[in-house]
Amino acid sequence: MDTVTFNTTIRTLMRSINLEMAHAMNQNFQPLGLSTSQALVLIELFRRGPTRVCRLSEQMEMPASNISTICNRLEKSGLVRRIRDCQDQRRVHIELTDAAKSLTMAAEERMLKKQQELADYVSPEDKQIIIDGLTKLNDLFHRTRLALTDGGEEEPAQEARRITEGSI
């Protein structure tokens, strides 16, 4: 397979997978009155406890500005509150309200149920094939990014070509 076809196929499949996941998650959380992003923030706070927006941003691998916007909406809905640090008033922690805790448990239960339903459609062998393929794709992107940013001995285009052709 030539490089253009390979890259186009990856982009098309990744976009389709992302859209399918977004659709499934939206359907899952919408009955609770939550967007997917809101539900994921609530679940993260439920699992880890009160935290700062910057830390939540790191944990969820989302820009802090996005997390802050989501938290603003959740705060207006009465699901989170901002608490100033007693020792450093500049530091603000986000925590769940009591009202959010039962909603969050319901959201997490719905998410786990949906994940189980999906897993039930896939054989153990296919699960491993999917994980192996996605791991290889992730490694490909990681190594290509490193080659492009680190200025390794090999030209980045040559490194990327060797990776996509399976020479590595």
Side-chain angles (χ1 to χ4, degrees), residues 92-125:
V92 178
H93 290 80
I94 305 294
E95 69 177 14
L96 294 178
T97 62
D98 290 338
K101 291 177 184 172
S102 61
L103 182 64
T104 303
M105 287 191 301
E108 187 166 36
E109 285 175 23
R110 291 177 69 89
M111 184 176 70
L112 293 173
K113 182 180 178 195
K114 185 58 87 176
Q115 289 171 345
Q116 186 60 52
E117 288 171 3
L118 177 64
D120 289 345
Y121 282 99
V122 183
S123 71
E125 296 81 18

Side-chain angles (χ1 to χ4, degrees), residues 120-160:
D120 289 345
Y121 282 99
V122 183
S123 71
E125 296 81 18
D126 284 346
K127 287 177 188 173
Q128 193 59 54
I129 289 168
I130 291 167
I131 295 297
D132 291 346
L134 289 173
T135 300
K136 283 183 182 182
L137 183 60
N138 188 53
D139 289 347
L140 164 72
F141 286 129
H142 179 73
R143 287 183 288 172
T144 302
R145 182 177 52 81
L146 288 178
L148 293 172
T149 57
D150 289 348
E153 295 178 23
E154 192 172 34
E155 288 292 319
Q158 292 172 333
E159 172 74 3

Side-chain angles (χ1 to χ4, degrees), residues 4 13 18 27 32-33 44 53 55 57 65 67 81 101 104 120-122 138 148:
V4 172
L13 287 171
N18 283 331
Q27 280 189 318
L32 299 173
E44 190 70 23
V53 168
R55 182 70 179 129
S57 168
S65 60
I67 296 292
R81 67 178 149 253
K101 291 177 184 172
T104 303
D120 289 345
Y121 282 99
V122 183
N138 188 53
L148 293 172

